[in-house]
Amino acid sequence: MSSETATKAYEGRSITVTFEARRCLHAAECVRGLPAVFDPGQRPWIRPDGAEAERLAEVVRRCPSGALRYEFADGGAESPDRPTQIRRDSTGQLIVRGELRVDTPQGVRAETRAVLCGCGRSQRQPYCDHGGPCGQTRVG
């Protein structure tokens, strides 16, 4: 697995949370939503058994970039928003939620949430990496 698509899984009894660090734009929705589960000062920084699985899934869905994902132990996973929503923020980032197929240099990826580059200067096209003017402020 390349570092471009590398994810780390944090397995709990009822839910597994995966984190793709290169996608993270530090919106901090996870830390604000469940600081007992998401604590960047601890290792591991994600402790899925620190909250009920449904509550944890709700907070993971707040992650605008899609860096965080989840799957329930019974195999259930996130359902995409319908209809698909696209919003351009004040800096030009495209915040997208829905049933997505994103064309990347590594191939097409199925997504439910993403922050896409609106200025063309990201080194992680089509995803925003805060490298150009469209990523100069945090997603929120």
Side-chain angles (χ1 to χ4, degrees):
M1 179 180 295
S2 76
S3 63
E4 183 71 20
T5 59
T7 59
K8 180 160 182 162
Y10 298 86
E11 191 171 337
R13 289 183 303 276
S14 303
I15 189 170
T16 296
V17 176
T18 57
F19 177 63
E20 187 177 346
R22 291 183 53 105
R23 291 274 300 277
C24 183
L25 295 176
H26 307 289
E29 291 293 334
C30 55
V31 175
R32 281 193 301 274
L34 278 174
V37 172
F38 298 97
D39 184 348
Q42 297 292 317
R43 292 296 173 259
W45 81 279
I46 300 174
R47 293 178 305 282
D49 290 332
E52 294 294 321
E54 288 293 336
R55 173 76 175 121
L56 179 51
E58 173 190 319
V59 170
V60 167
R61 285 190 296 270
R62 293 183 197 170
C63 173
S65 70
L68 290 170
R69 298 176 180 214
Y70 67 88
E71 184 173 335
F72 293 108
D74 67 6
E78 182 175 353
S79 296
D81 288 359
R82 288 196 176 90
T84 296
Q85 301 169 21
I86 303 171
R87 176 175 61 87
R88 181 180 297 273
D89 74 5
S90 62
T91 63
Q93 296 175 106
L94 298 169
I95 300 158
V96 186
R97 300 179 75 88
E99 188 170 3
L100 314 171
R101 299 286 180 259
V102 180
D103 188 12
T104 74
Q106 294 75 35
V108 176
R109 291 183 63 167
E111 304 276 0
T112 58
R113 293 169 278 117
V115 176
L116 304 176
C117 178
C119 69
R121 295 190 187 161
S122 171
Q123 298 300 305
R124 297 214 50 248
Q125 290 291 339
Y127 303 104
C128 184
D129 68 359
H130 284 176
C134 77
Q136 294 306 306
T137 60
R138 291 190 175 167
V139 174

